């Protein structure tokens, strides 16, 4: 079916009406109409190929970008996002925030992953003891999303994948947060990301729709997951735990609260002893955040970091570079198609009270 969503950007004089298909959207492919009265806040970082879902880290003083690689696909579009049929990964580096990203070529291909069938979606990376670990989701031979790990001596790869997915892994969007000698991996995404299929601890196959296994609107929203990684960085080092996102009164955000509930794209950063858990709200197209006192949470909802971009999906990372903080995100400026995206970056500001200043990715033309 088609879903039309009007994005209300507070300081704009016009609205954007979009009918968009995406990996996790109850809609078919559509077109976004851009008003002549607005422009993009930032330019694409990479223009020779389509990139999305940028996970960014600073290793040994250099910026490394680990995005997914969008491609055209002849796979028929469906509500599970099958047409988001990405097959490989490239890694990019920048010497500083003003540099042009360098493409280091093919880092990992689906044909090199013994257990993977298709759909290499949003990845992340980590560094430990001279080794670089690349975490990625892919559908296995049964079309169930799992998380995989690949290893390299270089931050740019090529990466050699493990022969099997991580034991007990499921869903997608892995993100790794390091604190000292501890590494925590977060993951999960509902609808096409299959997280709702695991509510009982086993994969539910009742119904053909990815929405069949969602909780009722008045029930707590489905939680993303977290686990400390094992010493060798190849498996979960403990039993995974749900990441609770709470309202300020201490109650769980409800499944029907689409403005605030977790959808996909988990990311964690730490600022002034506070842990910030940020994520996409999915069909309301925002990057929201919550704060807590532990990398495990619980996290209390605080607000919106990034208002809706052009395109259906919204996926990000937050990193400190040279004493300043930056948000990396994507939109569809180059293609106008929601499955062919381009990554961008913009400065992010923590206010004196610890809140994050909301970023408007589309601005008025004066």
């Amino acid at each position: 079916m088609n879903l039309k969503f009007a994005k209300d950007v507070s300081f704009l004089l016009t609205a954007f009406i979009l009918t968009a298909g995406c990996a996790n959207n109850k809609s078919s492919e559509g077109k976004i109409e851009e008003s002549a009265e607005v422009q993009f806040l930032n330019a694409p970082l990479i223009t020779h190929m389509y990139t999305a879902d940028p996970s960014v880290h600073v290793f040994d003083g250099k910026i490394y970008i680990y995005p997914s690689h969008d491609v055209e696909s002849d796979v028929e579009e469906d509500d599970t996002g099958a047409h988001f049929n990405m097959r490989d990964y490239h890694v990019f580096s920048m010497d500083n925030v003003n540099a042009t990203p360098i493409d280091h070529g093919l880092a990992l291909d689906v044909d090199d992953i013994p257990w993977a069938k298709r759909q290499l979606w949003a990845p992340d990376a980590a560094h430990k003891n001279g080794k670089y670990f690349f975490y990625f989701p892919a559908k296995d031979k049964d079309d169930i999303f799992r998380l995989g790990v690949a290893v390299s001596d270089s931050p740019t790869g090529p990466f050699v994948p493990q022969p099997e997915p991580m034991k007990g892994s499921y869903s997608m969007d892995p993100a790794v947060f390091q604190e000292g000698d501890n590494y925590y991996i977060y993951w999960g995404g509902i609808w096409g990301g299959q997280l709702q299929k695991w509510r009982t601890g086993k994969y539910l196959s009742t119904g053909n729709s990815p929405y069949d296994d969602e909780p009722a609107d008045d029930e707590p929203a489905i939680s993303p997951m977290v686990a400390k990684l094992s010493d060798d960085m190849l498996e979960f080092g403990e039993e995974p735990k749900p990441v609770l996102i709470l309202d300020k009164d201490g109650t769980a955000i409800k499944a029907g609260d689409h403005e605030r509930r977790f959808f996909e794209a988990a990311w964690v950063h730490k600022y002034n002893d506070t842990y910030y858990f940020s994520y996409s709200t999915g069909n309301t197209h925002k990057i929201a955040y919550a704060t807590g006192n532990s990398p495990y949470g619980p996290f209390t909802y605080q607000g919106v970091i990034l208002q809706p971009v052009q395109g259906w999906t919204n996926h990000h990372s937050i990193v400190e570079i040279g004493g300043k903080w930056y948000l990396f995100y994507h939109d569809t400026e180059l293609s106008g198609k929601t499955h062919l995206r381009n990554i961008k970056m913009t400065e992010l500001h923590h206010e004196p009270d610890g809140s994050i200043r909301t970023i408007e990715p589309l601005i008025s033309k004066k």
Side-chain angles (χ1 to χ4, degrees), residues 120-151:
L120 302 185
W121 286 6
D124 197 11
H127 176 226
K128 183 179 181 180
N129 296 337
K131 295 287 186 181
Y132 296 87
F133 300 87
F134 186 78
Y135 299 89
F136 61 92
K139 283 186 175 175
D140 64 14
K141 308 304 182 184
D142 296 319
D143 272 345
I144 296 175
F145 266 119
R146 306 288 184 181
L147 303 182
V149 190
V151 186

Side-chain angles (χ1 to χ4, degrees), residues 102-114:
I102 297 171
D103 183 352
H104 293 275
L106 184 65
L108 182 64
D109 189 280
V110 68
D111 290 338
D112 298 325
I113 306 168

Side-chain angles (χ1 to χ4, degrees), residues 179 270-276 292-294:
E179 185 171 42
K270 187 178 182 181
Y271 178 77
N272 284 353
D273 296 324
T274 296
Y275 298 89
Y276 290 73
N293 298 318
S294 164

Side-chain angles (χ1 to χ4, degrees), residues 243-259:
V243 178
L244 299 181
I245 303 173
L246 307 177
D247 204 341
K248 291 185 178 180
D249 63 4
T251 60
I253 298 293
K254 298 298 190 290
D257 187 353
H258 289 199
E259 291 290 328

Side-chain angles (χ1 to χ4, degrees), residues 255-299:
D257 187 353
H258 289 199
E259 291 290 328
R260 300 189 299 168
R261 63 92 166 87
F262 172 84
F263 188 93
E264 62 186 3
W267 188 263
V268 171
H269 76 280
K270 187 178 182 181
Y271 178 77
N272 284 353
D273 296 324
T274 296
Y275 298 89
Y276 290 73
F277 183 87
S278 48
Y279 58 96
S280 170
T281 60
N283 61 327
T284 49
H285 316 287
K286 298 171 183 176
I287 298 297
Y289 76 104
T291 58
N293 298 318
S294 164
Y296 293 107
F299 296 96

